Amino acid sequence: MKPACCIGGAGVICACGAGKDALWNGLQTGRSCFALPAGRVNSALADRYPVFLIPKEDIPAGRGSLSLRYFLTAAQEAFSQAGVTPQQLAGLCTGVCVGTSVDASFHCFDSYARWTKNALEEKDVDILQDYFSSSTAMAVAKEYGFTGPVQTVVTACASGTDAIGLAASWINMGVCDAVLCGGTDEINLIPYDGFIRLLISSKEKCKPFSKNRAGINIGEGAAALLLLSRSAAEKLGVSPAGFVLGYANACDGYHPTAPDPQGQGLASAISGALKQSGLHAADMAFINAHATASQANDAAEAFVFNQLLAGVPVCATKGVTGHTLGAAGAVEAVISLLCLNHGQVTPTWGFEEEDPALHLVPVTQSEVISKTCAVSCSLAFGGCNAALILGGRHYGA
């Protein structure tokens, strides 16, 4: 029997460009926009630490934060792939569940600086109104006229994964007919300086799982998935692009910013997601790892994968997307779906040399896959861990 939670369509915008075609090309070739964040963050360190940026020509115009605009851009591609309009979905019980980190934190720095000097300008009225008047998910629901449940998920770098998992639960429990979900984040001063001061940012492109890995590069972007119940998909004439088969979240509470070295929370999340899906490690085509290229993160993930998913190929994609923070889990879910539907897992860009301490070598060149489901996982500050089991369009055929 086909799964209950269908993925009607998906969309993405990131450093590889706007849309799934641009992303797929970047995953194949390593092409992406990696540059110093000149003009994007007012940091004394901005001339030393590059980031993965959305190309200038792809930045959407309009009101609201960049994070909101990124998500709305990704959502339009999701609607287009599904072949439905927001107006059709507004007639159903349609929810919105968006994960973010930056878009839920303070980012009106210039306005704040002017306020402290009693020098607010006319433009600050719109800037502050945009900031104080909406949560990301609420703004999306208002944009499309959706009246179902609305939730902005803020679980740091697991936000996108958690948002998809929560949205899938709304479908599986019959709360919603459809849910627009995913994650979004923009380049922002707080995480930019914050990761540097934690001594986990790299001045070069990140090198996931590599012996000489030196830390992360933050990035920006958004991914949106339109989830539908089976009955809603049939009613709308949507042929599913894939399925959400399982999800779980587990917190290990080991440290405010570092993961548990033995990954107990991650192991619990993956185990829970597999249990919900009714599948096993041997059924997985690959693991899409969080793989930030920090020493601690990659070591914890490698430990869990060797214990729980031995023999399953591992890929890591932040070498072309950067670490898109609250959007990461959603971007990587879309990447996993692309790989499953193309029947191909993509290289781990940036990997150079095996780390003997990890006992793990990720996929280094494109490989054909025949299995139709995969694991995508995220780790976050506060010990938050989340995992999804995703099926491609041919799952269960």
Side-chain angles (χ1 to χ4, degrees), residues 338-364:
L338 286 171
C339 289
L340 290 168
N341 289 340
H342 280 86
Q344 182 181 334
V345 63
T346 54
T348 298
W349 294 98
F351 178 82
E352 294 180 345
E353 181 183 0
E354 179 181 359
D355 184 344
L358 300 187
H359 306 289
L360 186 152
V361 176
V363 173
T364 57

Side-chain angles (χ1 to χ4, degrees), residues 230-290:
R230 179 152 296 282
S231 60
E234 292 172 353
K235 179 179 179 180
L236 294 167
V238 175
S239 178
F243 306 91
V244 180
L245 306 174
Y247 159 75
N249 173 291
C251 188
D252 52 49
Y254 173 79
H255 186 272
T257 59
D260 176 359
Q262 296 188 332
Q264 293 185 41
L266 178 60
S268 294
I270 293 173
S271 297
L274 285 170
K275 182 177 180 180
Q276 187 180 82
S277 72
L279 299 169
H280 305 281
D283 299 313
M284 300 297 111
F286 61 89
I287 306 161
N288 193 334
H290 189 63

Side-chain angles (χ1 to χ4, degrees), residues 41-63:
V41 292
N42 184 19
S43 169
L45 303 169
D47 62 346
R48 281 180 276 172
Y49 290 88
V51 296
F52 283 88
L53 291 162
I54 289 178
K56 288 182 180 179
E57 62 271 19
D58 292 327
I59 294 177
R63 287 284 302 275

Side-chain angles (χ1 to χ4, degrees), residues 45 49 77 84 115 125 162-163 186-187 194 203 208 217 225 241 257 261 272 276 281 291 320 372 384 389:
L45 303 169
Y49 290 88
E77 187 181 20
V84 299
W115 176 77
V125 175
D162 283 327
E186 66 198 75
I187 295 297
K203 296 179 181 178
N217 315 122
L225 294 86
T257 59
Q276 187 180 82
V320 288
T372 57
C384 187
I389 308 297

Side-chain angles (χ1 to χ4, degrees), residues 39-349:
R40 292 292 304 277
V41 292
N42 184 19
S43 169
L45 303 169
D47 62 346
R48 281 180 276 172
Y49 290 88
V51 296
F52 283 88
L53 291 162
I54 289 178
K56 288 182 180 179
E57 62 271 19
D58 292 327
I59 294 177
R63 287 284 302 275
S65 68
L66 279 176
S67 299
L68 175 59
R69 284 182 265 159
Y70 292 160
F71 187 81
L72 294 175
T73 298
Q76 288 304 314
E77 187 181 20
F79 296 144
S80 179
Q81 182 182 13
V84 299
T85 66
Q87 290 74 25
Q88 287 175 288
L89 294 168
L92 304 173
C93 181
T94 301
V96 177
C97 193
V98 182
T100 189
S101 179
V102 167
D103 210 35
S105 65
F106 189 79
H107 50 265
C108 306
F109 301 108
D110 292 340
S111 294
Y112 176 74
R114 287 190 286 271
W115 176 77
T116 61
K117 298 174 183 177
N118 197 29
L120 283 173
E121 300 175 7
E122 186 174 347
K123 65 183 178 181
D124 292 318
V125 175
D126 287 340
I127 291 171
L128 294 170
Q129 184 177 38
D130 282 344
Y131 175 72
F132 287 115
S133 66
S134 65
S135 70
T136 311
M138 189 177 296
V140 172
K142 183 178 180 180
E143 175 75 17
Y144 297 123
F146 297 157
T147 57
V150 175
Q151 178 70 55
T152 298
V153 177
V154 187
T155 49
C157 300
S159 300
T161 299
D162 283 327
I164 296 169
L166 180 57
S169 75
W170 294 350
I171 297 290
N172 291 330
M173 293 188 297
V175 174
C176 292
D177 302 306
V179 186
L180 179 63
C181 64
T184 186
D185 260 337
E186 66 198 75
I187 295 297
N188 177 274
L189 179 64
I190 293 174
Y192 181 79
D193 273 6
F195 280 111
I196 294 170
R197 296 186 188 284
L198 283 171
L199 305 179
I200 55 174
S201 287
S202 173
K203 296 179 181 178
E204 301 176 335
K205 281 189 176 180
C206 63
K207 301 172 182 179
F209 294 115
S210 193
K211 181 180 180 180
N212 60 341
R213 64 192 186 277
I216 77 167
N217 315 122
I218 67 168
E220 62 180 352
L225 294 86
L226 177 61
L227 305 189
L228 299 167
S229 68
R230 179 152 296 282
S231 60
E234 292 172 353
K235 179 179 179 180
L236 294 167
V238 175
S239 178
F243 306 91
V244 180
L245 306 174
Y247 159 75
N249 173 291
C251 188
D252 52 49
Y254 173 79
H255 186 272
T257 59
D260 176 359
Q262 296 188 332
Q264 293 185 41
L266 178 60
S268 294
I270 293 173
S271 297
L274 285 170
K275 182 177 180 180
Q276 187 180 82
S277 72
L279 299 169
H280 305 281
D283 299 313
M284 300 297 111
F286 61 89
I287 306 161
N288 193 334
H290 189 63
T292 61
S294 72
Q295 289 289 329
N297 180 99
D298 290 12
E301 282 196 281
F303 183 88
V304 172
F305 298 158
N306 287 326
Q307 296 293 314
L308 199 61
L309 299 164
V312 180
V314 177
C315 71
T317 57
K318 289 182 172 66
V320 288
T321 66
H323 186 355
T324 56
L325 308 174
V331 171
E332 287 154 21
V334 172
I335 290 172
S336 299
L337 194 63
L338 286 171
C339 289
L340 290 168
N341 289 340
H342 280 86
Q344 182 181 334
V345 63
T346 54
T348 298
W349 294 98

